[in-house]
Amino acid sequence: MSHLLCLTLNLAAFAALALATERAQVEVLGQRLPAGRSTALRGAGWVLMLMGVAVAVSTWGWGLGLVEVSGYSSVAAGAVYLVLIAAQRRRA
Amino acid sequence: MNAPQTNPAASPADRAKPAARGIRQTMSDLHIWTGLLLGWLLFAMFLTGTVSYFKEELSQWMRPELAHRAETPEPAVVASRVAKALETLAPKTTQWSIGLTDDRHAVANAFWRVPPKDGAQRAFKDANFDPATGETVKARETLGGEFFYRFHFQFHYMPVRWGRWLAGVAAMFMLVAIVSGVITHKKIFTDFFTFRWGKGQRSWLDAHNALSVFGLPFHLMITYTGLVTLMTLYMPWPEQVGIDSPALKKELTAQMNAFIQPGKPSGIAAPLAPVEAMVREAEQRWGPHSVARVTAILPGDAAARVAVSRGEIGRVSTSPQYLLFDGVSGRLLEDRNGVGPAAATRGVMVGLHLGRFGDGATRWLYFLVSLAGTAMVGTGLVMWTVKRRQKLSDPQRPHLGFLLVERLNIATIAGLPLAMAGLLWANRLLPVEMAQRGAWEVHVFFIVWAVATAHALLRPARRAWVELFWAGAAALALLPVVSALTTDRPMWRNMAQGDTALVGVELMCWALGALLAWLALRTARHQPAARGALRASQKAGSSGVATEPGFTGGMALSQGGEGRP
């Protein structure tokens, strides 16, 4: 259960961070977002990522928790990256 | 490896970063050349190391004679049964050690000391035991998943020490390549999610960056801790200087592992106390299923000792933790539950590298990110040729350095997966009673790899890529079929019995086979664009840089270990 929560938080975090970039906004939404919205997304991304760390550390302790977070953040970043590429291909 | 024959100074500057000068440019050159020189070794170490995260599952698959058990008996009971069996099997031994059953070990494995022959320092025998009966079970002779694991840090056909030194030098190069790569990559955050499709060298660089940056914590950790696992080999001097008495030497060993050397026997016979109670006492301290191993020294002698050691599940460390009992009275003598700070640091680092502490989900994370690391090395190697192909004066007749890198890339990236599949085929097809069977499985691996290398050298580059990828895909796809025909453990029966290890290995073969097939298709469909053209066929997802067969357009993406959409 904690595994799933940790993965979901990291996926949401990286999705938010990606959507805070201009390139992803154009590729996925077809337009740029206002600067304020981008900043909010970036902030949300970091908060979500910290929540992922909090969940992992409270579940598994510092040692194992940080290992899990490292793994989930890598995999989540990769997954978001592949979705972005798919979106980019669809629009192309 | 005469790649450096191309003078680095004369090599074209990294055109992707036109503004970069000074430190970044220097680091870029360092990154390119340290990455290339031992890149093929690193790719092989990464790939075989990656599959080693499923070493126990592979070992189970490679010993189909050992039946699957839905329920494993209590470890304390298993320990007691095997200890009893060892009384008759190894009555005079000075030491035996039982690896208990758990989720990943369906049978108990024990080894015991036998009198050494021919001047050897020590010798052991070992056997597998049915946890339900304590009887020995026979399986085909094979190294199991152990071969890939050993290969990834000491190679084969050479003295172990040489192999480990070679692996250490390669890991050191890797460390330099990682650090210089991070310095070179100036837009690590801005370009974090960037992938530019169909832009040739640029696309390769984007993919290489993504594979490297997403897994950066892992890549750094695995390279550094890899060096730490063998630090006493690479840096023996502190030990030579500081550890100068037998007592200190003994203490050093005790800090690093739970392997206890037998002392002097008393010569007075005395029966061994029941080990079941000892295991239960340990489980009370550490929790159920926490005991991994029971070791007895001088069993049957009045001076007997029994060590019950804790496994790695749930603790990120390999530092020894064990209870030491008097082997006759069964009284607890010592609770060794900590080591000095330096040894503890080492224990955590080795534990992190091995990743044995985790549950199934954690193991998958390790596997996926490690596969991304393999792809990082692979894309880096291919990029070296992609970048230089467009600058060849005559693409039909590239210079020797280019040719060598290109062919070694094919032999390694496309040839190694085929060879690994070959080893698994040999495991199923070599006669069970064959002499030296385990060794021959390994010989088959190298024979297949040698043939693949010859193929890569003799065929036109693109044909070689496509054909070897297809061969690898077919070998992996057919493996479950071969297994169903040659054993009584076909996939459907394993599924019905809930044997996730065996089903998982075969499904993984199919997944990796599909990946290789996709690579083969992408490479075969790739339409080389006209020299210098910037746009290429969008459908093939190809690059504008390729000017001749051999450039694999789709590979950058496909090797991403982080799962395909």
Side-chain angles (χ1 to χ4, degrees):
Chain A
M1 201 54 219
S2 300
H3 281 296
L4 206 61
L5 187 60
C6 200
L7 176 63
T8 314
L9 283 170
N10 273 288
L11 282 173
F14 280 99
L17 287 174
L19 279 181
T21 64
E22 227 169 68
R23 186 187 296 272
Q25 289 165 6
V26 173
E27 279 169 5
V28 178
L29 309 171
Q31 58 181 35
R32 287 179 190 176
L33 294 177
R37 195 78 63 81
S38 294
T39 313
L41 275 169
R42 191 167 297 122
W46 283 106
V47 169
L48 284 163
M49 200 181 294
L50 285 175
M51 282 167 67
V53 175
V55 166
V57 170
S58 65
T59 311
W60 294 293
W62 281 103
L64 194 50
L66 289 181
V67 173
E68 301 285 348
V69 156
S70 164
Y72 279 116
S73 61
S74 293
V75 168
V80 168
Y81 189 65
L82 291 176
V83 170
L84 283 181
I85 292 170
Q88 173 192 354
R89 295 299 297 151
R90 189 158 302 164
R91 293 190 82 87
Chain B
M1 296 188 201
N2 59 353
Q5 278 180 359
T6 318
N7 181 3
S11 83
D14 189 351
R15 300 213 310 192
K17 307 178 198 63
R21 290 211 169 267
I23 183 83
R24 284 224 163 84
Q25 194 52 54
T26 317
M27 285 296 150
S28 172
D29 286 343
L30 184 64
H31 179 77
I32 290 168
W33 294 100
T34 48
L36 180 77
L37 254 187
L38 296 177
W40 303 285
L41 279 186
L42 284 168
F43 183 89
M45 287 163 71
F46 244 116
L47 186 58
T48 51
T50 300
V51 301
S52 295
Y53 284 119
F54 289 110
K55 172 159 84 89
E56 312 306 337
E57 286 74 11
L58 263 179
S59 291
Q60 286 188 36
W61 188 89
M62 293 172 82
R63 295 190 179 91
E65 293 84 2
L66 305 182
H68 169 70
R69 285 183 194 285
E71 285 174 38
T72 46
E74 279 186 278
V77 178
V78 176
S80 149
R81 280 185 191 134
V82 178
K84 187 133 203 84
L86 285 168
E87 273 176 25
T88 48
L89 205 59
K92 292 219 171 66
T93 188
T94 54
Q95 179 177 33
W96 53 244
S97 186
I98 308 168
L100 296 176
T101 48
D102 59 31
D103 295 348
R104 305 180 71 200
H105 299 83
V107 294
N109 178 278
F111 63 85
W112 60 93
R113 220 177 255 271
V114 292
K117 279 182 282 191
D118 310 328
Q121 268 198 332
R122 51 192 196 188
F124 296 95
K125 272 192 174 178
D126 77 314
N128 293 313
F129 296 84
D130 186 328
T133 62
E135 281 166 19
T136 52
V137 280
K138 280 233 176 323
R140 62 189 59 199
E141 189 203 329
T142 175
L143 292 176
E146 192 74 13
F147 170 69
F148 293 139
Y149 174 68
R150 295 269 153 202
F151 178 83
H152 106 273
F153 63 85
Q154 66 192 26
F155 307 106
H156 200 70
Y157 295 133
M158 65 174 89
V160 165
R161 185 171 278 265
W162 293 13
R164 292 182 177 190
W165 265 107
L166 194 55
V169 172
M172 207 64 223
F173 271 60
M174 179 87 211
L175 202 56
V176 171
I178 289 177
V179 173
S180 57
V182 169
I183 297 172
T184 306
H185 188 13
K186 62 175 170 181
K187 289 200 265 178
I188 213 159
F189 286 105
T190 319
D191 276 353
F192 197 82
F193 293 105
T194 302
F195 183 77
R196 280 153 284 194
W197 190 283
K199 296 275 195 311
Q201 187 189 321
R202 185 70 241 186
S203 307
W204 280 94
L205 189 58
D206 284 342
H208 181 67
N209 287 347
L211 289 162
S212 312
V213 173
F214 296 166
L216 186 61
F218 176 87
H219 304 329
L220 254 180
M221 176 280 284
I222 211 70
T223 310
Y224 189 80
T225 56
L227 284 163
V228 168
T229 56
L230 292 172
M231 66 180 182
T232 51
L233 171 69
Y234 303 142
M235 297 251 165
W237 309 286
E239 191 185 327
Q240 285 166 1
V241 174
I243 312 289
D244 51 2
S245 73
L248 274 175
K249 202 155 225 141
K250 208 174 155 194
E251 177 56 23
L252 179 71
T253 313
Q255 291 272 324
M256 307 231 287
N257 59 52
F259 191 79
I260 305 156
Q261 298 286 341
K264 277 220 175 347
S266 68
I268 306 160
L272 193 69
V275 294
E276 189 176 333
M278 304 179 195
V279 174
R280 287 196 197 284
E281 182 162 349
E283 285 191 327
Q284 267 182 359
R285 285 167 193 253
W286 305 324
H289 296 278
S290 54
V291 175
R293 183 163 287 281
V294 178
T295 307
I297 48 177
L298 304 171
D301 187 274
R305 295 281 182 276
V306 177
V308 177
S309 8
R310 185 173 177 181
E312 285 159 42
I313 312 258
R315 60 180 190 122
V316 191
S317 177
T318 58
S319 292
Q321 194 175 353
Y322 60 87
L323 298 182
L324 189 68
F325 295 91
D326 185 305
V328 179
S329 68
R331 192 167 53 88
L332 178 64
L333 297 176
E334 188 192 344
D335 176 2
R336 156 89 61 170
N337 62 5
V339 292
T345 309
R346 175 190 170 274
V348 169
M349 287 195 181
V350 176
L352 269 177
H353 189 95
L354 297 171
R356 288 182 192 147
F357 50 82
D359 51 11
T362 314
R363 205 151 24 252
W364 274 102
L365 290 177
Y366 261 90
F367 179 80
L368 287 175
V369 183
S370 188
L371 201 58
T374 312
M376 165 183 77
V377 179
T379 51
L381 283 171
V382 172
M383 206 154 63
W384 194 92
T385 57
V386 169
K387 205 162 133 181
R388 281 155 187 80
R389 174 169 286 113
Q390 63 195 123
K391 297 183 186 97
L392 291 174
S393 52
D394 178 4
Q396 298 307 311
R397 302 178 59 191
H399 55 84
L400 185 63
F402 183 91
L403 212 62
L404 190 75
V405 172
E406 180 180 53
R407 300 309 163 123
L408 279 174
N409 283 353
I410 303 173
T412 311
I413 298 170
L416 177 60
L418 176 63
M420 291 168 77
L423 182 131
L424 298 181
W425 274 67
N427 174 266
R428 286 300 190 255
L429 293 182
L430 292 179
V432 171
E433 61 286 344
M434 179 181 186
Q436 303 275 311
R437 191 181 183 285
W440 269 100
E441 284 182 4
V442 176
H443 296 327
V444 168
F445 167 83
F446 284 103
I447 290 167
V448 173
W449 204 358
V451 171
T453 304
H455 184 271
L457 289 171
L458 297 173
R459 298 282 287 160
R462 171 142 79 150
R463 298 301 321 155
W465 276 114
V466 173
E467 286 158 6
L468 285 177
F469 276 142
W470 274 127
L476 284 168
L478 290 175
L479 201 54
V481 180
V482 173
S483 182
L485 291 174
T486 54
T487 69
D488 57 357
R489 302 289 288 278
M491 195 192 266
W492 57 88
R493 190 168 303 156
N494 294 330
M495 276 183 179
Q497 292 180 344
D499 189 342
T500 47
L502 263 67
V503 174
V505 167
E506 297 191 342
L507 289 180
M508 182 51 87
C509 286
W510 280 348
L512 293 174
L515 181 65
L516 292 180
W518 189 70
L519 285 172
L521 277 177
R522 295 299 312 234
T523 316
R525 275 194 207 145
H526 171 67
Q527 297 290 323
R531 189 173 165 82
L534 281 173
R535 273 190 73 253
S537 156
Q538 286 267 333
K539 192 147 200 172
S542 55
S543 128
V545 174
T547 54
E548 66 166 19
F551 171 67
T552 56
M555 231 183 87
L557 264 177
S558 58
Q559 292 227 335
E562 275 138 295
R564 291 158 48 206

